[in-house]
Amino acid sequence: ETGVTQTPRHLVMGMTNKKSLKCEQHLGHNAMYWYKQSAKKPLELMFVYNFKEQTENNSVPSRFSPECPNSSHLFLHLHTLQPEDSALYLCASSQDHRGYNYGYTFGSGTRLTVV
Amino acid sequence: AQKITQTQPGMFVQEKEAVTLDCTYDTSDQSYGLFWYKQPSSGEMIFLIYQGSYDEQNATEGRYSLNFQKARKSANLVISASQLGDSAMYFCAMRGVNAGGTSYGKLTFGQGTILTVHP
């Protein structure tokens, strides 16, 4: 139990499907993040939320839609994805996104395959 | 802007031996933190060790130690007495505070190093 739980662990979806990834943290953190990790590419930060407000969107295509209803839950809604969106999607949380000495706690990730 | 460079795509080590994973960084921030994470094949990112830019002593956590050389802007991870379970991808990361006192609020990661421990 890492304190950050992601579901599902694996997801296969067609390009016309709509699905959602869920992330939940039990650590009392106030910042949450979505990362994308593709094969042979560095980790890419997608979205940042602090106190459930989005503070960063790194030019992510609109087919990815985040939602943060409260500081403990973070969703990534997916629709009309492309095969190149296949990747490991990691959720993370931290105590304070403004503090450099706070590391992130990561979930186990959702391995997404778009067919 | 911040940049992390890990120049070793892959490293091999014999079980019970020590191994050093290299990390260099570039930043204009006055204050920053350096982190190492381990990612097994399962995908989870596991925090290993942290070093603050103003910390005078090198950080240690069990078999992990961080060889911090500020002037060279390097933060190498040393794993002593390697175990088979150490086989994984290792990421160096940093985050900092700029002169204006605002934080980027995000970790910048290197490309990672795949470590393989042989029996």
Side-chain angles (χ1 to χ4, degrees):
Chain A
E1 177 58 55
T2 65
V4 178
T5 304
Q6 286 188 246
T7 54
R9 290 295 308 273
H10 300 272
L11 177 62
V12 179
M13 61 184 289
M15 289 189 283
T16 58
N17 291 159
K18 289 184 179 181
K19 297 285 185 183
S20 296
L21 309 185
K22 179 183 176 182
C23 176
E24 183 175 1
Q25 58 99 357
H26 313 278
L27 301 167
H29 289 169
N30 51 35
M32 297 187 78
Y33 313 81
W34 278 117
Y35 279 86
K36 176 184 178 182
Q37 187 178 23
S38 305
K40 300 182 180 179
K41 283 188 175 181
L43 281 158
E44 301 172 58
L45 179 65
M46 300 174 73
F47 302 103
V48 180
Y49 278 83
N50 191 46
F51 291 106
K52 74 179 184 178
E53 298 296 322
Q54 188 180 122
T55 56
E56 191 161 337
N57 174 342
N58 281 319
S59 304
V60 180
S62 60
R63 57 186 184 270
F64 295 91
S65 174
E67 178 190 2
C68 189
N70 54 60
S71 293
S72 299
H73 294 84
L74 184 63
F75 296 88
L76 188 63
H77 303 300
L78 316 171
H79 63 97
T80 58
L81 294 191
Q82 305 298 312
E84 59 265 29
D85 297 322
S86 299
L88 179 68
Y89 289 85
L90 288 161
C91 173
S93 70
S94 68
Q95 178 62 31
D96 181 355
H97 88 294
R98 294 178 63 81
Y100 69 89
N101 57 333
Y102 290 109
Y104 291 3
T105 302
F106 284 84
S108 298
T110 294
R111 201 166 294 276
L112 173 68
T113 303
V114 181
V115 297
Chain B
Q2 301 172 323
K3 186 177 180 182
I4 295 281
T5 303
Q6 294 179 252
T7 57
Q8 307 155 314
M11 287 286 286
F12 296 89
V13 66
Q14 208 69 29
E15 193 178 9
K16 300 181 183 177
E17 293 186 349
V19 63
T20 297
L21 306 183
D22 294 341
C23 172
T24 58
Y25 60 91
D26 191 18
T27 182
S28 55
D29 293 339
Q30 295 298 311
S31 301
Y32 49 89
L34 295 153
F35 304 80
W36 277 92
Y37 286 85
K38 171 185 178 182
Q39 187 179 39
S41 57
S42 60
E44 180 185 352
M45 294 280 278
I46 302 167
F47 166 74
L48 295 178
I49 195 167
Y50 162 80
Q51 177 86 40
S53 59
Y54 288 110
D55 294 341
E56 295 184 354
Q57 304 249 345
N58 285 341
T60 59
E61 289 287 348
R63 295 187 298 111
Y64 305 108
S65 60
L66 202 152
N67 184 0
F68 180 47
Q69 297 189 47
K70 193 171 182 178
R72 294 187 177 183
K73 292 189 175 180
S74 74
N76 299 338
L77 177 71
V78 180
I79 305 175
S80 62
S82 297
Q83 302 172 356
L84 296 178
D86 294 334
S87 294
M89 176 80 89
Y90 288 80
F91 289 96
C92 179
M94 75 174 297
R95 66 192 305 202
V97 179
N98 62 14
T102 59
S103 170
Y104 291 113
K106 61 184 179 184
L107 280 177
T108 300
F109 286 87
Q111 301 270 46
T113 297
I114 300 175
L115 175 66
T116 303
V117 181
H118 289 305

